[in-house]
Amino acid sequence: MARNPVDVYVGSRLKMRRTYVGMSQERLGQYVGLTFQQIQKYEKGANRIGASRLYQFSHILGVAPAFFFDGIDGQPNLNPVPGLSEPPQNPIAPSPMPPDPLMSRENLELLRAFDAIRNPALRRRVLDLVRSMATEQNTGEQNAGEQSDSEEE
């Protein structure tokens, strides 16, 4: 059976928040009396998260329950449910939503570390450093591409 895109989305938001606060699947499972395997299934959207469980997760992870649905309206692969009395016009299995590149472990760890810096001047310097490194890398890649283009001629 295909995974429901809403379950996949809510599960990805659970994983994003759990990772952001630095909590393991095992620890979250202990808080709610589940195994880490069950948490994995929730995060992958293989199992649907019930309302009461979602409410527990929201309190443990320090967010409102609505957090798990934030941004879902903009997802292209979520079709409205047809009315109960009318047959589906175009019965197509739901396609999975593309993964969010901002939810990578590295990005979440970087964000968590950056949030831990309380000095505004230091935060600005870190941001300037990262921007400078990204610009330098992009410039270097462009120059390397231009060199390889000229070598082909």
Side-chain angles (χ1 to χ4, degrees), residues 14 17 24 32 35 45 72-73 83 85 91 99 115 121 126 129 131 140 143 146:
L14 173 65
R17 183 62 185 178
S24 69
V32 294
T35 64
I72 200 165
D73 290 335
S85 62
D115 279 352
V126 169
L129 173 65
R131 283 183 178 150
N143 291 341
E146 289 170 6

Side-chain angles (χ1 to χ4, degrees), residues 5 25 56 59 63 107 127 132 143-144:
Q25 290 174 331
Q56 283 181 305
H59 282 279
V63 293
N107 287 350
L127 185 57
S132 169
N143 291 341

Side-chain angles (χ1 to χ4, degrees), residues 3 10-11 40 44 63-64 71 76-77 79-81 88 100 110 116 121 124 126 130 143 149 151:
R3 294 178 183 174
V10 169
Q40 276 181 336
K44 291 179 181 179
V63 293
N77 296 322
N79 298 321
V81 178
D100 185 348
L110 182 62
R124 172 56 54 193
V126 169
V130 172
N143 291 341
D149 287 345
E151 290 172 6

Side-chain angles (χ1 to χ4, degrees), residues 6-145:
V6 174
D7 296 333
V8 173
Y9 185 83
V10 169
S12 72
R13 299 283 293 175
L14 173 65
K15 180 178 182 178
M16 178 179 70
R17 183 62 185 178
R18 178 189 57 77
T19 303
Y20 178 76
V21 300
M23 187 179 295
S24 69
Q25 290 174 331
E26 186 175 10
R27 173 67 67 189
L28 181 58
Q30 288 171 348
Y31 283 132
V32 294
L34 298 172
T35 64
F36 78 90
Q37 292 95 335
Q38 182 63 42
I39 300 298
Q40 276 181 336
K41 289 178 182 181
Y42 283 153
E43 290 181 352
K44 291 179 181 179
N47 286 4
R48 182 166 291 159
I49 305 172
S52 58
R53 184 73 72 200
L54 199 61
Y55 188 76
Q56 283 181 305
F57 288 149
S58 71
H59 282 279
I60 293 165
L61 298 173
V63 293
F67 167 84
F68 299 104
F69 298 95
D70 284 350
I72 200 165
D73 290 335
Q75 296 299 318
N77 296 322
L78 295 178
N79 298 321
V81 178
L84 296 176
S85 62
E86 60 189 59
Q89 298 298 318
N90 200 358
I92 299 174
S95 58
M97 286 181 267
D100 185 348
L102 296 177
M103 290 179 35
S104 76
R105 180 168 293 281
E106 274 184 339
N107 287 350
L108 292 172
E109 288 175 4
L110 182 62
L111 181 59
R112 193 170 80 207
F114 185 76
D115 279 352
I117 301 171
R118 296 289 169 229
N119 180 320
L122 185 56
R123 285 174 68 101
R124 172 56 54 193
R125 288 179 30 210
V126 169
L127 185 57
D128 290 343
L129 173 65
V130 172
R131 283 183 178 150
S132 169
M133 292 169 71
T135 302
E136 199 172 293
Q137 177 182 334
N138 291 339
T139 303
E141 288 172 357
Q142 286 175 346
N143 291 341

